[in-house]
Amino acid sequence: MPVTTDRCGQPESILSAAMPDRSSRSVWSDSLIAEVSVRLPLFDDLSPDTIERLSAQGFGRGLLTASLRARLRKAEFLDLGHLAQSSPVSIARTRKFGPVRVERVRSFIFDELARWLPQARVMHTSEATRERRLDRLREMPAGRLPLDGHQITALRFGEASCADIAACSRLTLLRTGIVSSGDVDQVVATLTHLARGADPLTPRSSGKVRAAPAGGAEAGAARRAALLAEQDREWEDAAPTNTRRRG
């Protein structure tokens, strides 16, 4: 009887034994595209005008609580436009944040986009964003990845695309014994680069502010941050107590 293989090109008998324990709390349990997606911006394919419109709102009305917004500012996330261009993993590093609050941030921005862009509820769901990234990877052969020829052959990816490998889980690949954890790390890094959409603007840094002449960009950014913080406080004070969103 011929041995059947799954979408990762491995015998089903091997893969069934290699499937991870679902009690293991790791994004690795799903697929490499899940690892890739948490390293890419919350939203891609946004126009510069849309990002600027998000930025002009600061953190908007009702995003989390005042204390959590303050934590975002302390982590040097400037506004909704900045958050939209930031990755889930970078936002989750903010103190008191994690996957649940990152998803809340994404949902808040998604609702804002849907108010202005009729196509947003179709184009910018998590599923549609993931599918666009996979579409980019489908156009590229698996040979673009940092694996040598015998690994590609042994994994039965000779005729596959980068998307085929992205659909596999890390643990499934590791338990074949064909690739090491370091190999998979390099594959994820390359997939992240290949799956990324075009940046509409020069990426903002959530780390150090770029050097600027005294009284120039740094002073302007500080004044703008103070104004947005004051705007947030005014909106928080004006909102009825029973309608304020909790963190």
Side-chain angles (χ1 to χ4, degrees):
M1 179 182 296
V3 177
T4 58
T5 61
D6 91 326
R7 64 188 300 178
C8 289
Q10 293 301 307
E12 288 182 346
S13 58
I14 295 175
L15 290 169
S16 61
M19 289 305 292
D21 179 356
R22 298 304 274 178
S23 66
S24 175
R25 297 181 59 189
S26 171
V27 69
W28 299 354
S29 300
D30 296 320
S31 61
L32 296 189
I33 192 62
E35 290 195 52
V36 166
S37 291
V38 298
R39 291 164 171 79
L40 291 174
L42 287 178
F43 296 90
D44 58 21
D45 294 342
L46 295 178
S47 71
D49 286 347
T50 298
I51 292 172
E52 287 304 310
R53 189 167 181 177
L54 284 169
S55 296
Q57 295 190 71
F59 287 143
R61 296 192 184 205
L63 174 62
L64 304 173
T65 63
S67 63
L68 289 171
R69 292 197 301 272
R71 291 188 188 282
L72 288 172
R73 287 196 193 88
K74 187 173 181 180
E76 298 187 12
F77 292 102
L78 306 178
D79 47 50
L80 293 181
H82 189 182
L83 287 169
Q85 296 177 92
S86 300
S87 68
V89 73
S90 67
I91 298 170
R93 292 191 189 108
T94 304
R95 188 164 174 259
K96 298 280 190 179
F97 274 72
V100 172
R101 282 185 174 137
V102 170
E103 184 55 33
R104 198 165 298 174
V105 168
R106 192 189 193 287
S107 296
F108 185 89
I109 297 173
F110 179 76
D111 288 342
E112 291 298 302
L113 292 172
R115 290 170 52 200
W116 318 323
L117 306 173
Q119 73 276 25
R121 290 202 180 277
V122 175
M123 285 187 60
H124 295 297
T125 63
S126 298
E127 295 77 13
T129 299
R130 177 181 182 275
E131 192 59 28
R132 275 197 303 277
R133 290 165 177 170
L134 283 171
D135 281 343
R136 295 178 191 121
L137 296 175
R138 288 186 185 104
E139 297 174 359
M140 303 170 194
R144 293 281 299 272
L145 298 174
L147 297 173
D148 61 37
H150 87 269
Q151 288 173 312
I152 294 287
T153 300
L155 289 168
R156 303 184 185 182
F157 281 122
E159 302 298 322
S161 70
C162 289
D164 294 317
I165 291 186
C168 296
S169 78
R170 173 180 286 258
L171 290 178
T172 296
L173 291 172
L174 289 178
R175 290 183 180 181
T176 64
I178 296 167
V179 292
S180 68
S181 182
D183 291 331
V184 181
D185 287 341
Q186 291 182 45
V187 167
V188 170
T190 302
L191 289 172
T192 301
H193 172 71
L194 296 176
R196 187 182 183 97
D199 290 325
L201 297 172
T202 301
R204 304 184 190 193
S205 171
S206 61
K208 301 295 184 184
V209 177
R210 291 189 182 93
E218 288 186 8
R223 287 193 297 271
R224 182 169 180 274
L227 287 171
L228 290 172
E230 180 62 26
Q231 182 184 69
D232 274 357
R233 283 193 293 272
E234 290 174 358
W235 284 348
E236 186 78 13
D237 291 343
T241 301
N242 60 354
T243 63
R244 293 177 187 172
R245 297 191 185 186
R246 296 183 177 274

